[in-house]
Amino acid sequence: MELTGLVDKISYESPDNSFAVIRLREKRTKDPFVAVGPLAGLSVGQCVKLIGNWETHPKYGLRFRAEGYVPEAPSLPEDIERYLGSGAVKGIGPVTAKRIVERFGEKSLEVMEQEPDLLLQVKGISPRRLRGILDSWEAQKDLKELLLFLKRFDLPTGLAFKLKKYYKEAALSIITQDPYRLAMEVSGIGFLRADAIAKKLGHAKDSPSRFKAGLVYLLKTKTEKGHTYYPEDLLLGEATRLLEVDGPLLKRALEELSIRGELVIRASETEGRRIYLKSLYLAESYVGQRIRLMCELDQKSGLLPFRQMAPLKETPQALSQITLNEEQLQGVNSLFERRLLLITGGPGTGKTTLIRAMVLRLKEMGQKFYLTAPTGRAAKRMSELSGEEAKTVHRLLGWNPETGTFLHNERNPLRCNVIIVDEASMLDIVLFSHLLRALPETTRLVLVGDKDQLPPVGPGSPFMELVEDHRIRSIRLTKVYRQKEEGLLILNAHRIKEGLFPVLRERGSKDFLFIHEEDPNRAYNWAIELLTKRIPEEYNLDPLEEIQLLSPMRKGLLGVESLTFGVQEALKGRLLPMDSFLGYRVGDKVMQLRNDYEKDVYNGDIGRVASIEEEGRVRVSFYGREVSYDMADLDDLSLAYCISVHKSQGSEYPAVILTLSTSHFPLLQRNLLYTAITRAKRLAVIVGTKKALAMAIRNDKPFQRYTALSSWL
């Protein structure tokens, strides 16, 4: 709904202009009311049209939750005087505002707009002061026009402050002259939105700017799907359909982007030309060249300092409590023979035991080492299992949010003998390149992971590619230890990995259950009841902290969004009353959706809402550390009662529930099913159909990623 009012008081404005609490008087009835939302930049006395809805806050009562606003000029003399005297226009205070309105009445704003020289008739306004007043008035006018423009194209008004900060007074002219610059330069506006604006503004479909923005947009969508590059013929084919233009024009745009350094074009014998975003080209080429150099140095440089140590044949005193099999013993000894060592194995094969053995051996030798993992969840688990401090890769490398760079790199490498990375299958090519840049030439790097899990969320899959390369030392752990009598969890995880149908029991098994349900509505109810009642009662597990519901897809009745809503409703008795803040309650389980190096939280981190504050700020507790979110940051959060299997990578939960339906067929793959099952430590439950289960097991061809790391090796 829309509501027009005059601003009485600015109670609060967030530092980043993303949120404000203001008191207004309704224009027609003069009744007072409070509005909250992206309302920064308003002034006392200003008339605005708010767009939003009424809500009832449990603490602050009835208020208007605004999604945006459009400024309107006040019409009554007393409102004009209040607006001008509020400080909105620099150079005009309450006294001068009163004099202006006494002189020009309800036409005061019209005079300022059309005949500003008449203001010299007002006592106290000199030519020099008038210039300052008009400069401030123009700035206000620019912002007003920008806000009206954004409203016209259904863009959030909060974006006006970002555009104003980025482009300053040229914001509106840049948007109108070349709206595709927004897609290329400003976060929050993609190509499709910029293209819609350009179309409404009458820009030609054959604009070179449109071609370039469209090509970069398409390439970015491909990297979001895991590709480090995309073949030229496929890219041009998709761009032709998206932009509805001929190939030769797009090819010319590609060449221009290459000349400008935004894209890199590299010839390939098998695929024609490969098209890269520059950042990904630099990352992938560096990783390949650095890994090749590490292997060559191992072959040419003779014995490294560690090789002077005798191989581990008998168990030293420090390792007396750990029993190693031949594979694990080989892993510990290989630590001292290579600059790069890869260790891969499924659940229960002793990866954690091997890491602990390596740590004890390094401590016994007095060597300096670091333990690290791609995410906070994985680092925390690594620390708990190894008994040593483990950091995220970003913290280890010293991310500086102010400069957007890492403290440790080629010029300032890490000082240590060994770095051990757990959950290495989650490393994308960009993060891996930064880690290698901070690696001294003599430092050993150990990558530990499971090559059969899903590839990383980001572009590339370096761990999987390196494991498959015969030139690089890999230890494959195959002997299964973590298997209880009568237990099916580990057994079925390995059967799924090998393409075999799991052993199914609806009763009797304590760690793996399959509930066959053809009807989607009953399967939906089963999943929610299992999480909120049955598993907590039978296994004494906390539904919020110790049980995780997973789904292959976001949409549909058995998708992430629908199940999340159902679980939140079922658990509402355990949460504080609804705070009406974009649907969040105190106690809600939430997930971070993108890497935020400044906050030190990363894509997939799960926390709990600790508090919701009046000034539009949500505080979330991640692993015992509270992180603050302003309204502008809340798009980085989502409820996490049900999450996608992809988002669960690197985590372990006491119990996992997976919905599996034939409606999920686009994503039913063996590695997705395997990843989901191996997230569980005590119990895995599948709710769905045997047909969907069979479809996933048969599909052992993962979605193809266009990567070229092996060519650099």
Side-chain angles (χ1 to χ4, degrees):
M1 64 179 294
E2 294 183 350
L3 189 66
T4 303
L6 289 97
V7 179
D8 253 353
K9 179 183 178 183
I10 310 294
S11 301
Y12 171 81
E13 277 188 334
S14 65
D16 61 357
N17 290 322
S18 66
F19 182 83
V21 180
I22 62 174
R23 192 176 67 200
L24 303 93
R25 286 181 291 114
E26 206 276 328
K27 186 176 181 180
R28 183 176 53 84
T29 64
K30 305 300 181 184
D31 292 335
F33 68 94
V34 172
V36 298
L39 302 172
L42 292 176
S43 303
V44 172
Q46 191 168 356
C47 184
V48 291
K49 181 184 290 183
L50 304 176
I51 301 96
N53 281 293
W54 290 102
E55 67 175 20
T56 301
H57 189 282
K59 181 177 179 181
Y60 301 103
L62 186 67
R63 60 188 191 176
F64 193 79
R65 165 69 63 180
E67 297 176 2
Y69 70 88
V70 177
E72 293 188 347
S75 55
L76 297 176
E78 58 267 30
D79 294 332
I80 295 172
E81 179 183 336
R82 193 147 188 255
Y83 168 58
L84 291 177
S86 68
V89 182
K90 293 180 180 178
I92 299 180
V95 174
T96 304
K98 184 177 180 64
R99 290 172 180 169
I100 291 172
V101 173
E102 285 177 347
R103 176 72 180 79
F104 301 110
E106 61 187 25
K107 294 187 176 181
S108 297
L109 299 182
E110 186 179 322
V111 167
M112 294 184 66
E113 184 74 35
Q114 300 175 7
E115 300 177 279
D117 288 346
L118 293 180
L119 292 176
L120 293 171
Q121 300 174 9
V122 176
K123 182 180 178 182
I125 298 181
S126 64
R128 181 178 177 182
R129 187 178 179 187
L130 179 61
R131 284 194 298 272
I133 290 171
L134 295 181
D135 287 344
S136 178
W137 180 253
E138 283 300 314
Q140 289 285 323
K141 180 182 173 184
D142 288 344
L143 183 59
K144 178 181 177 181
E145 290 176 350
L146 190 57
L147 287 163
L148 290 170
F149 178 87
L150 294 175
K151 175 59 182 170
R152 177 181 163 196
F153 293 104
D154 296 321
L155 295 172
T157 53
L159 196 60
F161 301 98
K162 183 184 290 186
L163 294 172
K164 192 76 175 173
K165 181 179 180 180
Y166 197 91
Y167 295 121
K168 298 185 170 52
E169 65 277 356
L172 192 57
S173 64
I174 287 173
I175 297 171
T176 52
Q177 291 171 19
D178 187 2
Y180 296 105
R181 284 186 61 179
L182 275 65
M184 302 280 278
E185 299 171 353
V186 183
S187 62
I189 299 183
F191 170 78
L192 297 178
R193 186 175 273 178
D195 200 35
I197 294 173
K199 185 178 180 180
K200 289 183 180 180
L201 292 173
H203 285 266
K205 288 176 62 177
D206 59 356
S207 159
S209 293
R210 181 171 184 261
F211 299 160
K212 294 170 188 174
L215 286 165
V216 172
Y217 160 75
L218 275 176
L219 205 52
K220 286 181 177 178
T221 63
K222 300 308 174 187
T223 64
E224 289 168 1
K225 293 183 178 180
H227 305 298
T228 58
Y229 72 88
Y230 210 57
E232 181 183 38
D233 58 341
L234 296 181
L235 181 66
L236 291 178
E238 294 188 30
T240 298
R241 292 188 290 273
L242 173 70
L243 302 172
E244 300 176 335
V245 293
D246 294 332
L249 292 172
L250 294 174
K251 202 156 188 173
R252 192 181 312 149
L254 263 184
E255 300 295 342
E256 291 178 9
L257 286 167
S258 176
I259 292 170
R260 285 164 47 180
E262 295 184 44
L263 303 181
V264 174
I265 302 174
R266 185 173 172 84
S268 164
E269 294 180 0
T270 58
E271 299 172 314
R273 300 201 301 177
R274 296 167 174 168
I275 314 300
Y276 286 87
L277 292 175
K278 185 176 181 180
S279 61
L280 291 181
Y281 174 80
L282 294 174
E284 187 175 75
S285 60
Y286 180 84
V287 169
Q289 293 170 18
R290 181 65 191 275
I291 296 296
R292 189 176 71 228
L293 176 63
M294 293 169 76
C295 294
E296 289 173 353
L297 286 172
D298 280 350
Q299 294 171 0
K300 296 177 182 178
S301 61
L303 290 176
L304 294 170
F306 277 7
R307 288 187 178 171
Q308 298 169 10
M309 299 298 297
L312 183 64
K313 295 179 180 177
E314 296 182 1
T315 306
Q317 185 176 359
L319 296 173
S320 59
Q321 301 302 315
I322 299 178
T323 302
L324 301 178
N325 64 26
E326 285 299 318
E327 294 170 340
Q328 294 167 324
L329 195 63
Q330 188 182 17
V332 176
N333 287 331
S334 295
L335 172 65
F336 310 111
E337 299 171 358
R338 296 285 191 278
R339 282 178 168 82
L340 176 63
L341 174 63
L342 308 176
I343 297 170
T344 181
T349 56
K351 296 190 297 294
T352 299
T353 299
L354 179 52
I355 291 175
R356 288 174 57 208
M358 287 181 171
V359 166
L360 291 172
R361 180 69 157 143
L362 291 169
K363 290 175 71 174
E364 184 180 62
M365 296 167 59
Q367 300 298 311
K368 184 174 182 181
F369 61 90
Y370 288 120
L371 303 182
T372 185
T375 67
R377 299 167 291 160
K380 183 174 184 288
R381 188 162 56 88
M382 189 183 191
S383 180
E384 291 170 349
L385 296 174
S386 68
E388 299 290 330
E389 181 187 18
K391 300 179 180 179
T392 63
V393 176
H394 290 90
R395 286 189 63 199
L396 178 66
L397 299 183
W399 174 257
N400 186 333
E402 294 183 1
T403 62
T405 59
F406 287 103
L407 171 66
H408 294 290
N409 48 39
E410 299 98 325
R411 295 179 298 278
N412 181 30
L414 294 162
R415 306 294 180 186
C416 63
N417 302 108
V418 178
I419 295 176
I420 302 175
V421 184
D422 197 12
E423 295 291 351
S425 63
M426 298 180 67
L427 284 173
D428 63 38
I429 197 70
V430 176
L431 186 56
F432 191 35
S433 71
H434 285 299
L435 179 61
L436 289 176
R437 290 180 192 278
L439 197 72
E441 188 176 294
T442 57
T443 296
R444 272 78 165 171
L445 178 63
V446 182
L447 302 179
V448 183
D450 186 344
K451 73 176 186 64
D452 295 304
Q453 287 189 20
L454 288 168
V457 175
S461 51
F463 181 74
M464 288 75 160
E465 291 181 85
L466 294 176
V467 168
E468 297 299 328
D469 195 296
H470 68 277
R471 291 161 291 193
I472 299 168
R473 179 65 164 154
S474 295
I475 303 294
R476 297 174 187 251
L477 303 179
T478 58
K479 186 173 182 180
V480 178
Y481 284 95
R482 206 174 72 207
Q483 177 66 57
K484 299 176 182 178
E485 292 184 11
E486 303 297 325
L488 295 178
L489 177 57
I490 301 299
L491 171 67
N492 281 337
H494 285 274
R495 287 181 64 86
I496 290 167
K497 182 176 70 172
E498 295 163 8
L500 301 174
F501 205 79
V503 178
L504 302 184
R505 295 181 192 165
E506 294 194 11
R507 300 181 185 278
S509 172
K510 288 294 185 181
D511 64 353
F512 186 95
L513 297 173
F514 180 82
I515 297 176
H516 182 80
E517 183 54 72
E518 298 277 355
D519 183 84
N521 289 294
R522 288 201 292 267
Y524 175 89
N525 292 331
W526 258 114
I528 293 175
E529 185 175 350
L530 282 165
L531 189 149
T532 58
K533 293 182 181 177
R534 297 207 177 198
I535 294 176
E537 290 172 2
E538 186 166 343
Y539 289 82
N540 193 30
L541 294 176
D542 187 312
L544 286 170
E545 299 291 344
E546 298 177 298
I547 309 172
Q548 184 60 59
L549 180 57
L550 304 178
S551 175
M553 298 180 69
R554 293 202 60 80
K555 302 297 182 181
L557 180 63
L558 295 176
V560 168
E561 295 175 1
S562 175
L563 287 165
T564 288
F565 176 78
V567 174
Q568 189 191 38
E569 284 299 299
L571 291 175
K572 63 184 179 183
R574 294 193 47 161
L575 306 173
L576 294 185
M578 177 67 79
D579 204 9
S580 299
F581 198 86
L582 302 181
Y584 288 116
R585 299 178 174 103
V586 171
D588 264 332
K589 187 177 183 179
V590 293
M591 172 180 280
Q592 175 76 11
L593 298 179
R594 70 173 184 87
N595 291 338
D596 189 323
Y597 309 122
E598 187 172 354
K599 289 185 171 69
D600 195 24
V601 288
Y602 304 99
N603 187 0
D605 282 352
I606 290 180
R608 298 281 297 276
V609 174
S611 63
I612 297 175
E613 301 170 9
E614 163 62 10
E615 57 268 24
R617 186 177 290 111
V618 174
R619 298 190 68 83
V620 179
S621 176
F622 290 100
Y623 318 117
R625 183 176 63 90
E626 286 196 5
V627 177
S628 179
Y629 290 80
D630 287 330
M631 190 171 179
D633 303 326
L634 287 179
D635 286 345
D636 294 342
L637 285 178
S638 73
L639 292 171
Y641 295 108
C642 179
I643 63 176
S644 69
V645 178
H646 285 81
K647 291 288 188 183
S648 73
Q649 290 180 83
S651 294
E652 277 192 348
Y653 313 95
V656 163
I657 305 165
L658 172 68
T659 60
L660 210 61
S661 163
T662 51
S663 64
H664 299 143
F665 73 91
L667 291 176
L668 290 180
Q669 295 176 337
R670 187 185 299 174
N671 61 354
L672 180 138
L673 177 60
Y674 174 74
T675 299
I677 296 304
T678 54
R679 300 309 90 208
K681 291 191 290 185
R682 288 178 54 189
L683 172 68
V685 183
I686 299 177
V687 180
T689 66
K690 293 178 181 178
K691 183 178 180 180
L693 186 59
M695 288 170 63
I697 293 169
R698 283 197 302 267
N699 185 7
D700 66 340
K701 295 180 180 178
F703 178 78
Q704 181 186 4
R705 290 191 172 201
Y706 288 105
T707 64
L709 181 57
S710 60
S711 68
W712 293 102
L713 294 173

